[in-house]
Amino acid sequence: MVLPMIVLNLGLSAVPPPLLLQRTVPAKVAEVYKAWTTTEGAKTFLAPEVKLELRPQGAYEPYFVPTLPAGMRGAEGCTVVAFEPNKSLTFTWNFPPTIKKLRDAGARTFVKVELAAEGAQTKVKLTQTGWEEGADWEQGRAYFERAWGFVLARLERRF
């Protein structure tokens, strides 16, 4: 006898999965870590101006267009969440001004950068989490998939 399968819809929805990108960089872990965690280093690949305070709740604010008015320059208001020297860095991340609804609402995701030695090179794993459902969030995810790919390519060229 075959019993019918009953599927209940409990109103639960799946959380959107993390965005994951990886790149191997031709430099030692300590050099790559310094690029992500110092103002001088971040200016070499991330943005022309950077406010960075490597401490929990410290600023992690790359300004992609520093000449624009406050609130439109870049990752304003983003902060360091955690770090482990020469291993990882986690920071909050906002949405670009082009995704106005999420930018104005102060929506944030989390970005974790993990580093692992591969001989004389470094494997960089970037994971962005905290996604929600909705058209604006999907637009943001598509934006960051392209943007982080560009950032990791610039990091690789920097070395």
Side-chain angles (χ1 to χ4, degrees):
M1 180 169 141
V2 178
L3 297 175
M5 179 185 274
I6 299 173
V7 178
L8 297 177
N9 181 350
L10 300 176
L12 301 176
S13 60
V15 175
L19 175 62
L20 172 64
L21 293 98
Q22 297 184 59
R23 192 94 172 201
T24 300
V25 176
K28 295 199 178 284
V29 168
E31 296 172 52
V32 178
Y33 183 77
K34 186 176 178 182
W36 282 98
T37 61
T38 66
T39 298
E40 299 77 22
K43 284 179 170 183
T44 66
F45 79 97
L46 190 54
E49 293 296 326
V50 178
K51 180 180 178 183
L52 197 158
E53 301 162 338
L54 189 61
R55 61 178 174 75
Q57 302 301 312
Y60 200 87
E61 300 183 3
Y63 304 134
F64 303 106
V65 188
T67 56
L68 288 178
M72 301 295 285
R73 297 177 182 144
E76 295 154 295
C78 294
T79 60
V80 173
V81 174
F83 60 95
E84 189 174 349
N86 296 320
K87 292 189 183 209
S88 66
L89 168 69
T90 303
F91 48 90
T92 61
W93 203 248
N94 62 3
F95 287 82
T98 56
I99 306 175
K100 187 170 176 38
K101 183 177 175 185
L102 294 178
R103 177 78 172 205
D104 290 351
R108 296 280 193 272
T109 59
F110 295 92
V111 176
K112 184 173 187 177
V113 177
E114 297 172 276
L115 309 175
E118 287 191 347
Q121 300 186 88
T122 301
K123 182 177 181 179
V124 180
K125 177 181 172 185
L126 186 146
T127 307
Q128 190 170 12
T129 60
W131 302 104
E132 295 184 20
E133 293 183 345
D136 291 324
W137 286 88
E138 289 171 15
Q139 181 185 2
R141 185 184 178 92
Y143 172 89
F144 286 121
E145 195 163 358
R146 290 186 307 276
W148 287 125
F150 179 71
V151 167
L152 292 178
R154 286 183 58 163
L155 175 68
E156 182 179 15
R157 281 194 305 275
R158 178 244 191 258
F159 289 104

